[in-house]
Amino acid sequence: MKQKFGGWDEVSRHLRSKVDEQEKLDDAAAWLNAGQRASLRAMAERLPNNGVILADEVGMGKTRIAVAVAHAVVECGGRVAILLPPGLGYQWQDELGRGQLPTVPPLLRSLWAYFHDWQELDPWFEKPVLTVSHAFTNWRLGDNPEPWRRALLPELYALWRKQRHGRLPRYYKDNEVLDRAARAPQRVRSAAQSIVDGIPAKGAHPGRTFLNELIQDFQWDGSLDGNYGKGTELRKWLEQSVGLGLGVFDLVIIDEAHKSRGDDSGLSRLIDNVIFRSQDPRRLCMTATPVELDVSQWLHTLGRIGLSENIASTLETTIQEYAEAAKELRRYWFSSVEIREKYKQAAKNYQQALTPYVLRRDKREDESVKRFGDYAGLRYRDEEKQISIEVGDLSPKWQRAVFAGEALSFASRLSEDPVAKRLRLTVGSGHGIATMLDQALTDKERDKKQLDQDQENASREDTTGHLPEIDDVGAKKRADRIKYWRKAIADAFVQTDDVQYDSLYDHPAIHAAIEFIEEAVKNDEKVLVFGRFTRPMRALTELLNARAMLRALDGDKPWPQTRVRATHDDDSDLNEWPAIRAAIRQLRDTLRPETMVEATLDDRLERQYNHFENKRTAWRGKLVANLRQGLAELSLDENDPCQIVFRAFENSPDDLPLVSRALTALSGTDDFDRLSTWKLAEGFRELIVAAMDREDPDADQDGDGTIDDDEAHTLWENLRHRITQEYSPFRGGFARFMYGGTRPETRRMIQLAFNRKGSFPKVLVAQSMVGREGLNLHKACRIVVMLHPEWNPGVAEQQIGRVDRVGSHWCEQLEAKIKQNVPGDQLPRIEVRPVIFHGTYDEHNWQVLRERWDDLRAQLHGIVVPSRVANEDEEAKRIIQEITDSAPDFSPSRRFGLR
């Protein structure tokens, strides 16, 4: 654990030197763009004094900036811990590799991995950079946990006591619990010994301080069978013991730092208990939404960079004064010069107070966004249009359900009924009628995390405008009304006597979404759909697949499936027949009669699949040779895992059909001869990297840092299993569904395929809390559909930010259309489409969201009065420009002459 960190002034010099090197390169060769370079210059100024919040808008390249800072710290002899959501390990590994950092171990996700991957000659605390999951501290330490899960704490106590006082504690020798843990594959005792041996013999060291406190204050008796549950004293001691094994860090980078704001959340415990910091540490917090709903959230985010309570308290007054001035300005911006002047002063104070701690670039600095604005004179995001459902056009059954949803929001306002209260919170907090209808379909197990999050959000801010729950003489009548309206909603989803029919496939919101999605796909676009409840999202996915399959068969086009699934093949598949029968009913007037015959579907699927499989068979004979040539063109090192996996695959001829099926699916073409060897090899490399996420190539754990033939064979066996699951001949995959229960490796494979133009899936349906933060889904998609529109503008920004990113599909389309001299109003835009029941609470909800968006933009973008309110009034436009010019600006670009 010996470190010789050169200090933050030295880091500043490295950052400036790195920026100078990058600025000598042309734009194509530079790793950092102009805005990122400006951010690094600002980092060089701020880091010697304090931590920094990197609050760039979604998709501006925050990760690359953070990697550059991490590289500078490592170059100066320091250590870096990167704390990130569990689904982002692959993306960070990719950027860390591009940033030329020393080899970084895979994302540390669990206590099992902590011990399993421990190497005595190269322990965790010797690694310059570690990536750790936000969920790392979610350990199962309930009743009677396995000995190795709790043994590190008493082992450290015993070994440090022996080193300091020359004796082990009573009952340590021949202790059955500790001996079992020592013999377990996790090797707890050797890890503890390694930690103790790594503590420097002299000088101040956080580890020495902790261990001295441990032997002074820790109670050995009862530690082996005590309560290690969350919040207990033993749990905190154990978390610190595990953290000591990770070592001491000079820089802590926290990605998605707005998440888990509670003091007892897993992320907070990771930051406060697990991560040991050096004597002069810094934190770099990354978040596009440091404040989402209320300005008080600034204080929590500022606290995460380590600001003292005194400084935070001083900032709180200035932040509140600005928020109040901005709200007042939005009411009287046109009529009151005095209020405008008051706002200008508050904005100046606000910017001066936060500038030392906050960096924020927004999309107005993005080259593509500026290019679009100059060319078209429009906003590059299209948020005005909606997928609108006319209630008057619905069947009587669905009309009753919609009206019942609206009535329930009023009838339940004073009720004690827990289900109705949840529905009331949902509607009152901004989730509209479509969401309320889907609440009737809640899957308690699959939707638990989403519902818990909804409840947490509702408790954070009461946005209902309703009175508190109280008892009164009318309670019985209200309860009866609630029961009536709840039944009216549920009746819309009751199945008929035909058990093969599910009315969910006739849900008007699902139908409206499908019509929009299918039209977009016809125009060669992919679509990202966000929702909250799994049953309607799954129904949407199944119905999209069924309709696409029938259309493919009707048009004699290839479909990657040999039969209709009637049983569960994995945790994301259901019986396909109900959706197919619904699709047949819906498409009966547009397809040939022979396509509608259920009894022949399996035969037709198999015939068409075999036809294209025969074409692939002829091409398959050249696959290995073409891959070998393509990999040589990629100039990969012979020890690159992809090269090693290829050699193992080369010796497994039975796997040729699987790999050829996967590569042709990823290519999105059945014209195999058009696949260049380079593109083929690039597809193979991406496939292997995606499948290998969470996989240690050194499969035998011998720790020698190389992959021998046996390890390569084992690795290929593991990867083959994952690829088989994803590219089974029994999966169609036009649309895919990703929710909380989707395996991480499956998410990576879906992400890979969705990001490739032309390939399935064309539509990704993602549960909001799974897909909205951090994931890159922008390489082939520019359209976001909100099946269940959100009420939190920070969440909406995160959802849109999956496709609105640097180097996106939209950016490529924009450049191509401008070169073709397409008129400005015909240029492609980032499309945001909420599903709305026209004339209902939904429209009010969308307006409320837009107003909250304005609040968010006032805090983060300096857009207090949106330009749209000026219409054609020239005086109004002048005043709005005056206000915008005086708004807070935390971008480093203006300071360094880039704007």
Side-chain angles (χ1 to χ4, degrees), residues 154 168 240 313 403 447 475 532 542 546 607 641 689 863 879 896:
L168 292 165
Q240 292 175 299
S313 177
F403 296 148
D447 294 329
R532 295 170 54 249
E542 293 166 358
R607 281 200 307 273
V689 170
I863 305 174
I879 293 174
F896 294 104

Side-chain angles (χ1 to χ4, degrees), residues 33 83 97 129 196 292 395 412 419 424 431 469 516 569 735 753 845:
N33 63 33
L83 316 183
V129 181
V196 169
E292 299 167 278
S395 68
S412 64
V419 175
R424 186 264 291 174
H431 298 298
E469 306 284 342
F516 174 82
D569 291 329
N845 166 50

Side-chain angles (χ1 to χ4, degrees), residues 197-218:
D197 292 344
I199 301 295
K202 296 181 180 179
H205 189 278
R208 174 179 290 277
T209 302
F210 166 72
L211 290 175
N212 285 339
E213 291 176 355
L214 182 67
I215 61 171
Q216 178 178 336
D217 300 333
F218 178 66

Side-chain angles (χ1 to χ4, degrees), residues 31-32 36 60-71 82 88-102 104 129 131 255 286 689 774 776 778-779 805-806:
W31 183 60
L32 299 164
Q36 291 166 334
M60 295 291 286
K62 294 187 290 292
T63 304
R64 191 158 291 188
I65 296 170
V67 168
V69 175
H71 186 271
I82 305 172
L88 303 186
Y90 164 77
Q91 291 174 189
W92 268 93
Q93 284 285 342
D94 184 53
E95 285 292 354
L96 289 167
R98 294 172 185 267
Q100 300 178 333
L101 273 90
V104 179
V129 181
T131 57
D255 194 8
M286 302 165 57
V689 170
N776 292 329
H778 62 293
K779 295 181 180 178
R805 308 183 76 76
V806 172

Side-chain angles (χ1 to χ4, degrees), residues 365-622:
E365 297 183 38
D366 182 89
E367 289 301 320
S368 294
V369 173
K370 290 192 289 187
R371 190 155 163 73
F372 181 94
D374 293 342
Y375 190 95
L378 299 169
R379 179 171 164 77
Y380 80 105
R381 280 189 187 175
D382 183 1
E383 301 163 357
E384 303 296 328
K385 299 174 186 174
Q386 301 148 10
I387 300 174
S388 186
I389 306 164
E390 295 293 336
V391 179
D393 295 339
L394 302 180
S395 68
K397 177 183 74 172
W398 285 108
Q399 285 183 352
R400 285 194 297 272
V402 171
F403 296 148
E406 297 236 285
L408 181 60
S409 69
F410 293 99
S412 64
R413 63 186 299 175
L414 299 177
S415 170
E416 297 293 340
D417 179 83
V419 175
K421 182 179 178 181
R422 186 184 71 206
L423 290 172
R424 186 264 291 174
L425 282 173
T426 297
V427 173
S429 297
H431 298 298
I433 298 303
T435 306
M436 174 172 268
L437 297 184
D438 291 342
Q439 281 272 15
L441 305 168
T442 301
D443 185 314
K444 291 183 180 179
E445 180 179 346
R446 295 175 185 268
D447 294 329
K448 183 179 185 303
K449 291 182 179 180
Q450 185 71 57
L451 292 171
D452 289 346
Q453 187 177 62
D454 291 343
Q455 199 68 31
E456 179 184 344
N457 289 341
S459 65
R460 220 187 289 161
E461 180 190 24
D462 180 10
T463 59
T464 64
H466 293 156
L467 298 174
E469 306 284 342
I470 59 174
D471 291 323
D472 67 6
V473 293
K476 172 73 166 57
K477 292 181 179 180
R478 278 192 297 276
D480 290 341
R481 289 197 295 270
I482 289 163
K483 184 177 180 180
Y484 175 84
W485 292 122
R486 283 176 55 194
K487 184 178 183 302
I489 293 176
D491 284 346
F493 300 100
V494 173
Q495 294 186 0
T496 66
D497 293 336
D498 180 0
V499 296
Q500 297 173 326
Y501 171 72
D502 188 342
S503 61
L504 182 55
Y505 296 116
D506 289 332
H507 193 305
I510 290 175
H511 268 277
I514 284 177
E515 287 182 8
F516 174 82
I517 290 167
E518 289 180 341
E519 187 63 29
V521 173
K522 278 183 187 178
N523 293 323
D524 202 27
E525 297 288 352
K526 290 194 173 188
V527 181
L528 174 60
V529 183
F530 278 107
R532 295 170 54 249
F533 303 109
T534 56
R535 284 188 62 192
M537 287 190 292
R538 189 184 293 278
L540 172 64
T541 307
E542 293 166 358
L543 200 48
L544 282 167
N545 280 326
R547 290 165 64 102
M549 182 192 76
L550 291 174
R551 286 196 174 105
L553 291 177
D554 195 64
D556 296 320
K557 296 178 180 178
W559 184 259
Q561 188 171 348
T562 58
R563 62 172 172 79
V564 176
R565 291 185 299 263
T567 57
H568 291 268
D569 291 329
D570 58 48
D571 68 352
S572 64
D573 290 331
L574 290 174
N575 184 348
E576 293 180 305
W577 280 112
I580 289 173
R581 292 181 180 114
I584 289 174
R585 288 194 309 274
Q586 296 164 8
L587 300 176
R588 189 174 298 280
D589 295 336
T590 63
L591 303 182
R592 294 179 298 177
E594 55 267 33
T595 304
M596 308 296 183
V597 182
E598 293 181 21
T600 66
L601 277 180
D602 278 348
D603 289 339
R604 295 190 67 191
L605 282 170
E606 188 168 7
R607 281 200 307 273
Q608 65 82 34
Y609 186 88
N610 289 339
H611 170 72
F612 290 99
E613 183 70 5
N614 290 337
K615 290 178 62 177
R616 194 157 43 220
T617 300
W619 171 78
R620 194 178 295 150
K622 301 181 288 185

